[in-house]
């Protein structure tokens, strides 16, 4: 739902909800592929540590919600629990949710720090090329102590915008309609949330919401979905966002047409939702020109990463004492003066693709680890050379140097370009 990163920096309001504000910058479609084969057999990831690799504290703001979408794999089931209404007593039926009537691709997102009027939504809907325009709430609230991007939706009408398995899950949307929260598979597993148990969600006030499902919505960077009433009870402005489906070929032109319609303070951004093919690491060749890391930058980043060996994994952490996978990468490169975006999916867009046979120390390795959206890039590691990589793996494990893995979950590799990384990061700022 990784419903892990939008187009915006944080805008904290007195009620304690950080709104997802569009500030510009276009998210490019990830198209480059990887090729080549590693030299010699490649072992599976293990906890075995090699001798030290030969190549030789501010926490990230974490308020960026990148707009990199996910692949919709219609053959995967979404882990969910039976829906139970909020009312107590008796054995009442689960909340009614309209059946799925086909999938829509989420192509554009309008977001404001205030409610958008029905006149604005109507004007957007009338533009040529707009297929549907769905009002939603979009904000950052705290779940289990970590700020997360959350959408408030009408389950009956929004479900068609979700990734295929999530869209098809009646228990998921019934659970959301009944007052629960559905979270991304990545967040649910790495933050050790339990299906059917309650988590503390804090906006205007703290509420205990039941986790009803793990499933990827298909809008990158969004890690949780609740119903409209729950969103408003958390303090989100009613209908402060619009998700738009349109012809992908017209998305950029439509964004330009929508901007003059919006009130001051609102913005619009293309969404990249890869509905037909797994996403790969790397930018298109037309964007890949430009210098790479200097020797000094490369050495500093690798030394910084290796200095974190043995520190604990923590979901959402970006150092200096604990990390998640992308937090380790972001922190390490920051020590070299190179700004990278916060999530693995966006870090995959910070340089040209590199075939496995041409990997060099400092290249980033990416993986598909979310079974509810197998095409979504959800893990990253740093290649150290000689067949080894360093990663922050998962809860219960520590930052470790392990054999590089090029198995079925491998999504590709990139060589960081400071110029491209700066452009991607600025586009999300």
């Amino acid at each position: 739902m990784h419903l892990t990163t939008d187009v915006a920096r944080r805008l904290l309001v007195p009620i304690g909800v950080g709104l997802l504000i569009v500030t510009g910058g276009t998210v490019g479609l990830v198209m480059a592929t990887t090729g080549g084969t590693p030299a010699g057999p490649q072992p599976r990831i293990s906890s075995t540590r090699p001798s030290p690799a030969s190549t030789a504290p501010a926490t990230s703001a974490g308020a960026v919600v990148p707009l990199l979408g996910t692949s919709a794999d219609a053959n995967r089931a979404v882990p969910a629990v039976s829906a139970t209404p909020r009312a107590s007593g008796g054995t009442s039926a689960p909340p009614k949710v309209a059946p799925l009537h086909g999938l829509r691709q989420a192509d554009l997102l309008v977001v404001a720090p205030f409610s958008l009027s029905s006149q604005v939504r109507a004007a957007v809907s009338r533009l040529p090329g707009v297929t549907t325009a769905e009002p939603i709430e979009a904000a950052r609230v705290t779940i289990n102590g970590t700020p997360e991007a959350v959408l408030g939706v009408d389950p009956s009408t929004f479900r068609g915008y979700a990734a295929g398995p999530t869209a098809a899950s009646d228990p998921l949307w019934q659970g959301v309609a009944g007052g629960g929260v559905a979270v991304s598979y990545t967040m649910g597993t790495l933050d050790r949330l339990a299906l059917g148990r309650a988590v503390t969600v804090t906006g205007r006030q703290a509420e205990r919401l039941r986790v009803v499902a793990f499933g990827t919505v298909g809008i990158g960077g969004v890690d949780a979905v609740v119903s409209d009433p729950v969103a408003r009870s958390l303090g989100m402005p009613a209908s402060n966002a619009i998700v738009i489906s349109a012809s992908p070929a017209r998305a950029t032109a439509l964004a330009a047409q929508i901007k003059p319609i919006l009130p001051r303070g609102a913005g619009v951004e293309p969404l990249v939702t890869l509905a037909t093919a797994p996403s790969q690491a790397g930018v298109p060749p037309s964007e890949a020109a430009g210098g790479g890391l200097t020797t000094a930058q490369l050495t500093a980043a690798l030394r910084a990463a290796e200095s974190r060996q043995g520190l604990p994994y923590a979901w959402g952490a970006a150092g200096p004492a604990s990390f998640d996978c992308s937090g380790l990468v972001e922190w390490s490169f920051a020590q070299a003066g190179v700004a990278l975006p916060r999530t693995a999916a966006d870090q995959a867009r910070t340089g040209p693709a590199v075939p496995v046979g041409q990997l060099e120390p400092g290249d980033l390795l990416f993986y598909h680890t979310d079974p509810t959206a197998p095409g979504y890039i959800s893990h990253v590691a740093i290649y150290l050379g000689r067949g080894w990589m360093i990663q922050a793996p998962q809860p219960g494990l520590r930052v470790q140097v392990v054999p590089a893995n090029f198995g079925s979950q491998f999504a590709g590799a990139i060589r960081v370009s400071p110029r491209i990384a700066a452009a991607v990061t600025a586009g999300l700022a």
Side-chain angles (χ1 to χ4, degrees):
M1 211 164 313
H2 219 22
L3 193 147
T4 114
T5 122
D6 252 354
V7 282
R9 282 281 178 193
R10 91 188 108 170
L11 174 61
L12 297 180
V13 296
I15 55 176
V17 177
L19 302 180
L20 308 184
I21 311 303
V22 175
T23 58
T26 301
V27 176
L29 178 62
V30 180
M31 297 177 63
T33 60
T34 58
T37 56
Q42 298 298 322
R44 296 177 62 84
I45 291 179
S46 73
S47 59
T48 304
R49 293 175 183 269
S51 56
S54 60
T55 309
T59 301
S60 169
V64 177
V65 185
L67 292 180
L68 183 66
T70 67
S71 169
D73 182 341
N75 297 317
R76 288 279 184 169
V78 172
V81 296
S82 299
T84 56
R86 296 184 104 180
S88 59
T91 55
S92 51
K96 290 185 178 180
V97 174
L100 177 64
H101 295 295
L103 297 176
R104 310 178 190 92
Q105 181 154 305
D107 296 296
L108 295 166
L109 183 69
V110 172
V111 190
F114 44 77
S115 296
L116 294 168
S117 68
S118 58
Q119 289 82 2
V120 170
R121 297 197 298 273
V124 169
S125 298
R126 287 194 296 266
L127 289 174
V130 172
T131 305
T132 57
E134 174 84 5
I136 61 174
E137 289 78 40
R140 183 173 288 280
V141 300
T142 299
I143 301 178
N144 262 12
T146 303
E148 303 291 353
V150 179
L151 298 187
V153 305
D154 177 341
S156 291
T157 56
F158 178 81
R159 65 186 299 181
Y161 291 95
T166 306
S169 175
D170 288 330
L172 184 151
W173 298 107
Q174 289 167 351
V176 170
V181 56
V183 304
S184 68
Y185 179 87
T186 303
M187 176 185 174
T189 54
L190 296 186
D191 206 19
R192 292 182 166 177
L193 304 183
L195 282 176
R197 300 285 183 86
V199 293
T200 300
V201 182
T202 306
R204 174 186 295 148
Q205 60 189 16
E207 296 196 18
R208 295 284 290 172
L209 301 182
R210 184 169 179 252
V211 178
V212 296
F214 296 161
T216 297
V217 163
I219 297 177
V222 181
D223 269 310
V225 173
V226 297
S227 67
D228 289 323
V230 170
R232 293 165 192 174
S233 73
L234 291 169
M236 297 187 195
S239 301
N240 72 309
I242 306 170
V243 62
I244 298 165
S245 181
S247 167
R250 286 189 49 81
T252 301
L254 271 174
Q257 291 179 285
I258 289 171
K259 286 180 181 178
I261 296 174
L262 302 179
R264 186 173 182 177
V268 60
E269 184 76 8
L271 293 165
V272 179
T273 50
L274 306 183
T276 58
S279 56
Q280 299 287 336
V283 297
S286 61
E287 300 177 21
L293 298 170
T294 65
T295 301
Q297 288 173 323
L298 179 61
T299 300
L302 290 173
R303 285 179 175 171
E306 291 178 346
S307 75
R308 303 296 95 180
Q309 288 186 63
L311 293 180
Y313 178 99
W315 167 257
S322 60
F323 300 89
D324 63 13
C325 66
S326 57
L328 175 65
V329 172
E330 181 191 32
W331 183 89
S332 299
F333 279 80
Q335 309 318 299
V338 179
L340 292 182
R342 179 63 185 87
T343 67
D346 277 317
Q347 290 170 359
R349 302 187 293 117
T350 59
V354 180
V356 169
Q358 298 175 21
L359 286 173
E360 295 179 1
D363 291 343
L364 302 184
L365 309 178
F366 296 92
Y367 299 88
H368 305 304
T369 60
D370 180 348
T372 70
Y376 185 69
I377 290 174
S378 48
H379 184 67
V380 60
I382 303 173
Y383 188 65
L384 295 176
R386 298 185 177 182
W388 297 95
M389 69 184 193
I390 187 167
Q391 65 172 353
Q394 63 187 51
L397 297 178
R398 296 175 178 271
V399 175
Q400 57 184 203
V401 174
V402 296
N405 182 359
F406 303 102
S408 61
Q409 293 184 327
F410 181 62
I414 65 111
R415 184 157 297 149
V416 173
S417 162
R419 179 189 65 81
I420 297 173
V424 172
T425 304
L428 300 169

